[in-house]
Amino acid sequence: MSAVDDRNDSHSTPQRFGLLRQKEKGYYSVRVKAVAGNCTAPQLALIGELATRYGRGYISLTTRLNLEIPWVKIADVPVVCAALDEAGLSTGSTGRNVRAIVCCKGTVCPHGLYDTQETCRELDRIYYGKPLPAKFKIGIAGCPNNCTKAQFNDIGIMGQRVPQFEASNCTGCGACVVACKARALLLDEDGTLLFRQSLCLNCGTCIDRCPHNAVRLLAEGVTLFIGGTAGRRVMAGLPLGMRIPLSACPALVEAVLVVFLQYGEPGERFRSMMERVGPELVLSTIRDVVQEL
Ligand code: SF4
Ligand code: SF4
Ligand code: SF4
């Protein structure tokens, strides 16, 4: 049975397939997944055509980078879904599973420390739609500017570059002080550079700005935040507190999902599970995976 056939199965839940019942009887909003927030221009044109023909001529953008065609009559849902399938698009990102993964435009953003959209596509290929005790959200930020608010996802991923200062090379020119938006750098009255590490966000900007090779790259990679949530409950995820290579992301996501499948109760969000079983169980499991990398 194809995905479209499934949608017509009266025993299935339409919402599971990205078909959201509206307040108005007989109408659905069809949620179209845009992997990594991208659609090709022809795909976007098709969605527009479908919205004009079967909806009311407009498209809604969701907070997780999906597109919805509202006002589709229930009888028209199969033809809309078939047209989307044919264009390589799918409906979904609903239900108790890994939802559409959100990433920023770090791929092209001047601040991006890694290819966020490719990371998103890779995680989407492996984990999107994986059944879990409750919905599960992953957010990817290319740098500590954190446009995707990584901490407020079940797993947040953020690129970081850690600076190391070489006092012997520093001339006190102040270029890094001007560049540091976190105000982690100061020059004292003598022109000596002061590094307030507790304020440093590990964005790495000072590394690029120093003209005297006095700021070196100590470490780079991504860091994770685990168990964040936003919505009815707003809780920041716990920082993993270490950087890992980008290539290790799938293994760490896998480790978190295995814990969720093992300990989560039906309908229980990951954050609630963490609070019930103790966050250290989750964090220690992840750190064990990191040690084995
Ligand atoms: S989080 Fe950083 S890399 Fe991503 S869009 Fe924002 S500024 Fe750019
Ligand atoms: S890494 Fe970023 S936040 Fe940290 S000192 Fe350098 S510029 Fe400031
Ligand atoms: S930019 Fe380099 S040389 Fe200038 S104050 Fe900063 S660390 Fe020192």
Side-chain angles (χ1 to χ4, degrees), residues 29-164:
S29 287
V30 177
R31 180 173 292 174
V32 185
K33 185 166 72 109
V35 180
N38 290 333
C39 283
T40 65
Q43 285 173 332
L44 205 51
L46 172 75
I47 296 168
E49 281 169 30
L50 293 172
T52 301
R53 185 156 179 196
Y54 298 104
R56 292 198 177 173
Y58 71 95
I59 298 159
S60 298
L61 304 180
T62 76
T63 53
R64 295 194 71 81
L65 305 183
N66 298 305
L67 303 101
E68 284 184 8
I69 307 172
W71 297 105
V72 178
K73 287 184 186 144
I74 190 164
D76 292 330
V77 164
V79 68
V80 169
C81 291
L84 291 168
D85 282 349
E86 203 171 316
L89 292 163
S90 61
T91 59
S93 199
T94 48
R96 294 179 179 180
N97 53 50
V98 176
R99 298 288 187 85
I101 300 169
V102 169
C103 69
C104 73
K105 57 169 193 168
T107 304
V108 296
C109 173
H111 301 290
L113 300 180
Y114 64 103
D115 189 342
T116 49
Q117 293 179 346
E118 183 48 36
T119 301
C120 187
R121 280 189 286 272
E122 182 183 13
L123 294 178
D124 177 88
R125 273 193 297 274
I126 305 171
Y127 296 113
Y128 169 71
K130 183 181 175 72
L132 292 168
K135 63 183 172 186
F136 193 91
K137 298 179 178 179
I138 300 174
I140 299 172
C143 79
N145 284 344
N146 200 14
C147 296
T148 42
K149 300 167 184 61
Q151 289 91 335
F152 296 99
N153 288 266
D154 294 288
I155 297 178
I157 298 168
M158 178 188 286
Q160 290 188 333
R161 294 170 82 206
V162 183
Q164 182 176 49

Side-chain angles (χ1 to χ4, degrees), residues 2-9 12 14 17 19 77 81-82 85 90-91:
S2 73
V4 175
D5 292 335
D6 277 349
R7 292 179 194 112
N8 296 327
D9 179 356
S12 66
F17 299 103
L19 310 175
V77 164
C81 291
D85 282 349
S90 61
T91 59

Side-chain angles (χ1 to χ4, degrees), residues 17-293:
F17 299 103
L19 310 175
L20 297 135
R21 191 166 50 82
Q22 292 189 192
K23 285 190 290 188
E24 298 79 8
K25 194 170 165 48
Y27 288 96
Y28 281 83
S29 287
V30 177
R31 180 173 292 174
V32 185
K33 185 166 72 109
V35 180
N38 290 333
C39 283
T40 65
Q43 285 173 332
L44 205 51
L46 172 75
I47 296 168
E49 281 169 30
L50 293 172
T52 301
R53 185 156 179 196
Y54 298 104
R56 292 198 177 173
Y58 71 95
I59 298 159
S60 298
L61 304 180
T62 76
T63 53
R64 295 194 71 81
L65 305 183
N66 298 305
L67 303 101
E68 284 184 8
I69 307 172
W71 297 105
V72 178
K73 287 184 186 144
I74 190 164
D76 292 330
V77 164
V79 68
V80 169
C81 291
L84 291 168
D85 282 349
E86 203 171 316
L89 292 163
S90 61
T91 59
S93 199
T94 48
R96 294 179 179 180
N97 53 50
V98 176
R99 298 288 187 85
I101 300 169
V102 169
C103 69
C104 73
K105 57 169 193 168
T107 304
V108 296
C109 173
H111 301 290
L113 300 180
Y114 64 103
D115 189 342
T116 49
Q117 293 179 346
E118 183 48 36
T119 301
C120 187
R121 280 189 286 272
E122 182 183 13
L123 294 178
D124 177 88
R125 273 193 297 274
I126 305 171
Y127 296 113
Y128 169 71
K130 183 181 175 72
L132 292 168
K135 63 183 172 186
F136 193 91
K137 298 179 178 179
I138 300 174
I140 299 172
C143 79
N145 284 344
N146 200 14
C147 296
T148 42
K149 300 167 184 61
Q151 289 91 335
F152 296 99
N153 288 266
D154 294 288
I155 297 178
I157 298 168
M158 178 188 286
Q160 290 188 333
R161 294 170 82 206
V162 183
Q164 182 176 49
F165 294 87
E166 303 281 344
S168 58
N169 287 354
C170 180
T171 64
C173 72
C176 60
V177 177
V178 173
C180 180
K181 291 182 190 163
R183 298 177 185 269
L185 298 171
L186 292 173
L187 287 174
D188 72 9
E189 290 168 356
D190 301 331
T192 302
L193 185 68
L194 302 176
F195 176 40
R196 299 189 287 183
Q197 192 158 16
S198 62
L199 296 181
C200 177
L201 300 174
N202 296 317
C203 69
T205 304
C206 52
I207 300 167
D208 301 328
R209 295 295 167 83
C210 177
H212 301 290
N213 202 26
V215 196
R216 303 227 169 107
L217 178 64
L218 180 64
E220 66 181 333
V222 294
T223 195
L224 265 58
F225 300 91
I226 309 293
T229 181
R232 288 175 190 239
R233 290 185 77 199
V234 181
M235 309 280 286
L238 305 182
L240 187 60
M242 57 205 302
R243 266 151 301 281
I244 57 162
L246 183 61
S247 58
C249 269
L252 291 192
V253 171
E254 178 80 26
V256 174
L257 297 187
V258 166
V259 170
F260 195 22
L261 278 168
Q262 188 173 355
Y263 295 100
E265 294 176 350
E268 182 181 43
R269 289 295 303 270
F270 184 72
R271 176 68 181 221
S272 301
M273 183 219 77
M274 265 177 66
E275 290 169 350
R276 182 170 54 76
V277 303
E280 197 43 45
L281 173 82
V282 179
L283 293 177
S284 63
T285 302
I286 297 167
R287 290 186 185 120
D288 287 348
V289 172
V290 174
Q291 298 302 327
E292 289 169 14
L293 291 173

